[in-house]
Amino acid sequence: MFPIRRAQSPSDPTGAGQPPARRRGALLAVDLLDIPFWRRASPALLAIVLVGLADLYSGRDRYLAPLMTVVPSIAALTLRPLELLGVCALGLLAVFGLSHYDEVDTINDARFLWGAMISYLLLTVFSAWVAKIRMRRAAAFAAVSSVAEAAQRALLRLPGPVVGPLRLAVRYVSAADASKIGGDLYSVLETPHGTRVAVGDVRGKGLGAVQTAAVVLGAFREAAYDEDGLCGVVARIEASVERHVPDGEFTTALFAEFRRPGVVEMLQCGHVPPIRVDQDGRAHVLDAPDPWVPLGLGRMAYGEPSTWDQAFGVEDVLVLCTDGVIEARHRDNGEFYPLADRVGPLVRGAARSAAELEAAVGRVYADLLAHTGGELRDDALLLLVTRTDPVWAVNPP
């Protein structure tokens, strides 16, 4: 879980990689406070100009000044009440001017002018009230979002860009725009048993996903320090999920342990397989020899989970993600995002430095957005991992 609408990195919790459409939506959520007045007033001012030109070019035999009533409605969407009254005053002056031009301010035709003025004034007052209600709701939304984001950060505890022998780079975007809460989670901990990584995807979104993620993350943080092996860690998390998560809810997860140089030990619980990108930019999908069921469904399976070892050197990049990445649809033909086919060239050489790794995750994220047309319909997490400790293991071809 992460603050929504933001592509995050461990070194930048607020992120700067969110799609343009979501960035515009975030500005709306805080009542356009970051946009200058002239830009917020431009739609209403443009409406005044267009109505005026339409009336002038249509000739004096057509009276189009009553169309000026669109101005208060448009202004109510972007302006504060006092700003709205000021802009609408210009519109009222335009109504007078056009009425004089069309010669409807005479004694015989004054009824048209009075009708237009009364309609305009009533709509202006109503629009000012609507703008005030809009501002109140925007303030309430911003307050709720801030609380949700603070609670979410406290729960997630974003790691730094370096944890133990690992470098990290993260991008995340949540589909739950209104709640600033998503269903994906991750944690990286330096423990007495090595550096341990957990990546998970909670079924569902919103508050239910928050509760489940809190259980999974809390259990992982405790078990990662206490248990000697990943199987013990998963058993502890499974027990917590069974006690505290409603039946039928589950979380796919992938656990990795970096204890020995040149090797990573992994355990897969129904999650998206990781990808290892070697120094030549070739991507290797690391399918588990014996994958386990998602967390929360352990009672339905026979046997026990098992881990497997994978060579992982200092020139390699480990790509972890959630299904929101590989199931992202193409903007035109609806095809899934081919991460395994695209990620190799995008992250090649990223293990050289933290800056290279951060740039690499940015390239993958940008490519994902280009595939979808700029919007993701599901929570999506990308986590790139490299190691900094010297190793002597030789990577397999």
Side-chain angles (χ1 to χ4, degrees), residues 1-87:
M1 296 175 307
F2 305 79
I4 66 158
R5 306 188 191 180
R6 301 184 176 184
Q8 300 183 54
S9 69
S11 59
D12 180 14
T14 60
Q18 65 187 122
R22 294 197 176 202
R23 190 179 301 115
R24 290 192 295 269
L27 292 176
L28 288 172
V30 294
D31 202 35
L32 307 172
L33 294 180
D34 293 341
I35 300 179
F37 166 74
W38 67 269
R39 291 184 59 185
R40 289 184 287 112
S42 58
L45 295 175
L46 180 61
I48 295 175
V49 173
L50 291 178
V51 172
L53 291 176
D55 187 276
L56 293 174
Y57 281 103
S58 63
R60 296 188 176 184
D61 57 336
R62 290 181 176 85
Y63 182 48
L64 301 182
L67 294 178
M68 203 67 70
T69 52
V70 303
V71 173
S73 301
I74 295 174
L77 300 176
T78 59
L79 298 178
R80 300 175 177 86
L82 292 179
E83 295 171 343
L84 181 146
L85 293 176
V87 171

Side-chain angles (χ1 to χ4, degrees), residues 17-339:
Q18 65 187 122
R22 294 197 176 202
R23 190 179 301 115
R24 290 192 295 269
L27 292 176
L28 288 172
V30 294
D31 202 35
L32 307 172
L33 294 180
D34 293 341
I35 300 179
F37 166 74
W38 67 269
R39 291 184 59 185
R40 289 184 287 112
S42 58
L45 295 175
L46 180 61
I48 295 175
V49 173
L50 291 178
V51 172
L53 291 176
D55 187 276
L56 293 174
Y57 281 103
S58 63
R60 296 188 176 184
D61 57 336
R62 290 181 176 85
Y63 182 48
L64 301 182
L67 294 178
M68 203 67 70
T69 52
V70 303
V71 173
S73 301
I74 295 174
L77 300 176
T78 59
L79 298 178
R80 300 175 177 86
L82 292 179
E83 295 171 343
L84 181 146
L85 293 176
V87 171
C88 289
L90 295 178
L92 185 61
L93 293 177
V95 171
F96 276 113
L98 294 175
S99 299
H100 180 73
Y101 170 78
D102 294 325
E103 298 180 350
V104 298
D105 55 349
T106 62
I107 296 177
N108 293 331
D109 293 329
R111 61 185 183 276
F112 296 109
L113 175 59
W114 284 106
M117 288 178 51
I118 292 174
S119 299
Y120 186 87
L121 291 174
L122 290 177
L123 191 55
T124 297
V125 173
F126 177 77
S127 297
W129 177 76
V130 170
K132 184 176 181 180
I133 297 299
R134 189 203 76 231
M135 290 183 61
R136 287 181 178 177
R137 293 198 174 189
F141 178 84
V144 171
S145 299
S146 298
V147 172
E149 183 171 346
Q152 188 169 270
R153 288 188 181 182
L155 173 64
L156 185 63
R157 303 176 195 170
L158 293 176
V162 177
V163 179
L166 304 181
R167 289 196 189 104
L168 311 172
V170 182
R171 287 295 183 276
Y172 175 86
V173 65
S174 169
D177 287 347
S179 62
K180 287 204 170 184
I181 293 172
D184 295 352
L185 58 94
Y186 83 102
S187 183
V188 183
L189 300 174
E190 177 69 9
T191 76
H193 314 289
T195 305
R196 287 174 167 173
V197 178
V199 173
D201 186 354
V202 179
R203 177 180 177 271
K205 302 176 182 68
L207 293 179
V210 174
Q211 295 171 351
T212 301
V215 172
V216 173
L217 285 173
F220 173 73
R221 288 171 181 146
E222 290 297 321
Y225 286 95
D226 298 338
E227 299 295 331
D228 183 62
L230 286 181
C231 291
V233 173
V234 171
R236 288 269 296 274
I237 299 175
E238 181 71 34
S240 294
V241 170
E242 289 185 4
R243 283 194 297 265
H244 303 296
V245 175
D247 291 339
E249 299 297 326
F250 61 86
T251 302
T252 65
L254 180 74
F255 300 93
E257 178 181 285
F258 300 82
R259 187 188 303 200
R260 293 170 291 161
V263 177
V264 55
E265 182 180 359
M266 289 182 278
L267 195 158
Q268 184 182 18
C269 297
H271 198 69
V272 179
I275 299 174
R276 180 178 64 87
V277 179
D278 61 27
Q279 58 184 337
D280 297 322
R282 294 174 297 183
H284 308 269
V285 179
L286 308 180
D287 292 308
D290 187 17
W292 190 241
V293 297
L295 301 170
L297 304 180
R299 68 172 76 90
M300 303 179 183
Y302 294 99
E304 295 180 351
S306 60
T307 64
W308 87 99
D309 290 341
Q310 174 66 48
F312 184 61
V314 292
E315 299 294 333
D316 295 334
V317 180
L318 188 64
V319 181
L320 308 177
C321 70
T322 55
D323 59 8
V325 175
I326 62 172
E327 294 180 1
R329 298 278 187 173
H330 191 273
R331 60 185 180 275
D332 296 325
N333 56 34
E335 293 182 355
F336 290 134
Y337 179 67
L339 179 64

Side-chain angles (χ1 to χ4, degrees), residues 338-386:
L339 179 64
D341 297 333
R342 307 279 280 272
V343 73
L346 294 172
V347 306
R348 180 180 179 181
R352 290 193 292 261
S353 67
E356 290 281 354
L357 190 65
E358 187 65 29
V361 76
R363 289 193 295 269
V364 178
Y365 185 72
D367 188 63
L368 175 63
L369 292 181
H371 178 84
T372 62
E375 285 292 322
L376 297 178
R377 299 180 181 274
D378 194 8
D379 305 325
L381 168 67
L382 275 169
L383 172 61
L384 303 190
V385 180
T386 61

